[in-house]
Every structure is written in C-alpha cells, then in structure tokens.
Amino acid sequence: MFKFGQDIGIDLGTATILVYVKGKGVVLKEPSVVAIDTKTGRVLKVGLEAQNMIGRTPGNIVAIRPLRDGVISDFDTTEKMIRYFLKKVCRNRFFKPRVMICVPSQATGVEERAVHDAAMQAGASKTYIIEEPIAAAIGAGLDISKPYGNMIVDIGGGTADVAVISLGEIVVSSSIKVAGDKFDEAVVRYIRKKHNIMIGDRTAEELKIEIGCVYPRDEVLSREIKGRCLVTGLPKVVTVNSNEMLEAFEECATMIVDAVHAVLEKTPPELVGDISTGGILLTGGGSLIYGLDKLLSHETGLDVHIAEDAEFCVARGTGLSLNYMDTIRTGTRRPYGDVR
C-alpha cells in the first residue's frame, strides 16, 4: 500500500507564505518573493533573502512576487517557490507530502487549477483546494458544521474575502482585491501627493503597521520617514502622523465596509439573525490594522471580533482541514487530489 509523507497546509498568500505541518503547527512564515537571474532563469533566493534584495539588485537580477491579488501571475516561478518551501519543511525525502492549499472564495476554476498544478509539479503526492474563508473559520476555532451562520472577513495581502458560512459551506461571499498591498500603495500615493517625496513599499508597510489606522486613535502617533524628494532628487526626512494615515486609508477601508454590507444584504434573514448574535470575525494580517474592528462595528451595528493569532488562522485552518480529507474529497471542493 502506498504510504503518504507529511500532511502540509499552505497559505499561498500574495505577500506571505505560511506553511502548516500536521502535528507541528505553523513552521514557516516567509515573504512570497523570488529573486531570479534574468540571463540564466535561475532562482537565486526565495523568501526573506529575496525580499531583502528588492530595489538593491543589479540589472540582471530581479526580485518578483509571482502571486498577484491572491492568484498566480507567474506559474513557473510559483512552482519553484512552492518546491523550495516544501523541500525546506519536508524531512522525509522518500514519501511525497499531501498538500492542502487555500484560494480566494471567488477564485475561478482556471485559477484553482493553476494552484493545484503548481503544487503537484513542486512535489506533492496529492493536492487539495480549500476556500480561504472556510480555512480561516476552522483556524479560528469555529464549529462551521452546524446550521448556524458565521460571518468571516479575511484580509490578507492581495484579497479581502467576506463570507457567511453555515453547515460547512459558504452561503454568500464576496472577494475584493483590496487588502494589505492596496493599503501600502495608498500610503505611497499619499506621501507623494502630500509631502512630495517618494518612499518604497517597505517603508509604506512599516508606516501601516506602526501608526496606520482606519478609525481615529485615542492618541495621535507620529513617525519620521526618509524618502527621495521629487523636486530636488535628494534624500528628505518628513514626519507623518496617524491622522494622515487615516486619511490615506479612507478609500480602501470604505471598499471593505461596502463589501461587508453587500454580503449582509444577500444573506438569508435567519443567518443574519445568527450573525447579529455572534458578530463578525476578522482574520488575516490585514485585519490587524488599527481600528478596523471599530470601523466595521460602527458601520454595521454588529459586534466585531479579531481572531486570536489572526495572521495564522488561514494557515492553521488549511492544515487542520487535512483531518477531514474524506469530506473534502467528496464534495466541499473540486476533487483535485484525485486527478492523476
């Protein structure tokens, strides 16, 4: 009888890759960045080492993100990246691992097939697909098997998924391409327009994490940043405060609120009653932006909670769902694992 190797869950994020190994938990968290030599096509670095090369490489070396808006934009590079991470976490070289990978709730069949094929070519023996909201709910500890409505808002790097789940299935969902990366881009645009300087994506992300907010803070925070003056071309230092971040994030935050409203409007009344009792659960790294729970609560009138270890919920749920392989194989997702 064929023996499988390790059971592995992968949160294939636009910004970050998280890998869950059954029995060990989340064992790897690295940026989904790959550095490639354009002359030879050889992969030089993957993950954190590749991220450190962004903006600092010679002309023949490029550091790229092979995933955009939650889906594969560069198949070959994604396959090499998955292969690298599987090799890094798999100690048993003789038996290939079974892999569960999450996709956005509105991913097309073509996009799901691309994820499946990339994992199979990277060395998986079987590959299964699960939708991110379901994985997030499982990872957050919710019992989604009951006839009870749970509302999940999962905000990652490339997409924000809003879903109402009951009896283990998604009843209503929406996926918008507004998440962590779009917040970073909003910071870059705002600083360029307001202060006339150009900053990099990493500086923008640091601002988002340290002083960013989508709801007024009790105390205004500020931070000095360095960038290139667009007038003189010379380095320039400016001070940015949290109120400016609130202004920069307004458009992105409004789009997320609108997505939540849209899903609630389509949700059956009985499930809306359940949600009014249980509230909305936020998961994903993007949900940690200060004030998002307060903003959603203010706009919907519902209780909003941030899951414990919100950043790891999807990865944990993706891995834990491997305990329900029979259910997944027989219908909750397309049975890609049985494709030869």
Side-chain angles (χ1 to χ4, degrees), residues 152-169:
I152 302 291
V153 180
D154 177 59
I155 305 174
T159 60
D161 285 276
V162 184
V164 175
I165 302 171
S166 179
L167 288 171
E169 294 281 354

Side-chain angles (χ1 to χ4, degrees), residues 46-110:
V46 178
L48 185 60
E49 292 180 329
Q51 185 187 51
N52 291 334
M53 297 171 71
I54 292 179
R56 299 186 176 95
T57 60
N60 64 308
I61 299 175
V62 292
I64 63 171
R65 284 183 172 181
L67 296 149
R68 286 292 175 189
D69 300 325
V71 296
I72 293 175
S73 61
D74 186 326
F75 182 87
D76 291 336
T77 305
T78 301
E79 181 264 315
K80 292 174 183 177
M81 182 174 67
I82 295 175
R83 183 185 298 276
Y84 170 84
F85 289 128
L86 286 180
K87 187 179 294 185
K88 195 168 184 177
V89 300
C90 290
R91 294 186 177 182
N92 191 329
R93 298 286 189 266
F94 296 100
F95 301 107
K96 295 181 177 181
R98 292 190 300 184
V99 175
M100 181 76 77
I101 301 186
C102 62
V103 295
S105 60
Q106 299 295 312
T108 65
V110 172

Side-chain angles (χ1 to χ4, degrees), residues 38-326:
T38 56
K39 292 182 178 178
T40 63
R42 187 166 63 92
V43 173
L44 302 177
K45 299 291 182 180
V46 178
L48 185 60
E49 292 180 329
Q51 185 187 51
N52 291 334
M53 297 171 71
I54 292 179
R56 299 186 176 95
T57 60
N60 64 308
I61 299 175
V62 292
I64 63 171
R65 284 183 172 181
L67 296 149
R68 286 292 175 189
D69 300 325
V71 296
I72 293 175
S73 61
D74 186 326
F75 182 87
D76 291 336
T77 305
T78 301
E79 181 264 315
K80 292 174 183 177
M81 182 174 67
I82 295 175
R83 183 185 298 276
Y84 170 84
F85 289 128
L86 286 180
K87 187 179 294 185
K88 195 168 184 177
V89 300
C90 290
R91 294 186 177 182
N92 191 329
R93 298 286 189 266
F94 296 100
F95 301 107
K96 295 181 177 181
R98 292 190 300 184
V99 175
M100 181 76 77
I101 301 186
C102 62
V103 295
S105 60
Q106 299 295 312
T108 65
V110 172
E111 290 167 345
E112 290 182 7
R113 173 64 67 178
V115 171
H116 167 267
D117 290 349
M120 293 299 289
Q121 292 187 28
S125 62
K126 296 275 187 177
T127 299
Y128 301 88
I129 303 295
I130 187 171
E131 291 166 323
E132 285 181 8
I134 292 181
I138 294 172
L142 296 181
D143 183 358
I144 61 174
S145 64
K146 296 179 179 178
Y148 183 88
N150 294 286
M151 189 169 198
I152 302 291
V153 180
D154 177 59
I155 305 174
T159 60
D161 285 276
V162 184
V164 175
I165 302 171
S166 179
L167 288 171
E169 294 281 354
I170 291 178
V171 181
V172 185
S173 70
S174 175
S175 181
I176 60 173
K177 295 176 180 179
V178 177
D181 286 350
K182 287 293 188 292
F183 280 94
D184 294 343
E185 292 170 12
V187 174
V188 173
R189 287 196 305 270
Y190 183 87
I191 298 299
R192 182 174 64 235
K193 182 179 179 181
K194 181 75 177 289
H195 296 282
N196 215 26
I197 70 169
M198 179 64 71
I199 61 171
D201 292 339
R202 293 182 67 181
T203 301
E205 185 176 20
E206 290 170 1
L207 277 175
K208 176 183 69 177
I209 294 171
E210 294 179 18
I211 66 171
C213 60
V214 295
Y215 197 82
R217 288 180 179 267
D218 297 331
E219 180 184 353
V220 177
L221 303 179
S222 61
R223 184 183 187 276
E224 278 193 351
I225 58 169
K226 299 175 182 178
R228 186 182 77 242
C229 179
L230 294 175
V231 177
T232 65
L234 300 174
K236 184 179 179 181
V237 179
V238 297
T239 300
V240 180
N241 64 49
S242 55
N243 286 338
E244 291 179 286
M245 291 296 95
L246 180 64
E247 186 178 344
F249 290 158
E250 182 178 3
E251 183 179 356
C252 292
T254 300
M255 293 177 73
I256 293 174
V257 170
D258 289 345
V260 172
H261 276 156
V263 170
L264 284 171
E265 288 172 0
K266 297 176 183 177
T267 302
E270 291 81 1
L271 296 182
V272 171
D274 296 335
I275 295 167
S276 67
T277 301
I280 299 172
L281 184 68
L282 299 182
T283 63
S287 68
L288 301 177
I289 294 177
Y290 180 88
L292 186 58
D293 54 337
K294 297 178 181 178
L295 176 67
L296 286 173
S297 181
H298 178 266
E299 294 294 332
T300 63
L302 300 171
D303 291 333
V304 180
H305 315 282
I306 300 176
E308 185 178 352
D309 293 331
E311 189 177 2
F312 301 102
C313 282
V314 172
R316 187 185 304 116
T318 302
L320 291 174
S321 64
L322 290 163
N323 296 326
Y324 310 103
M325 299 296 278
D326 292 337

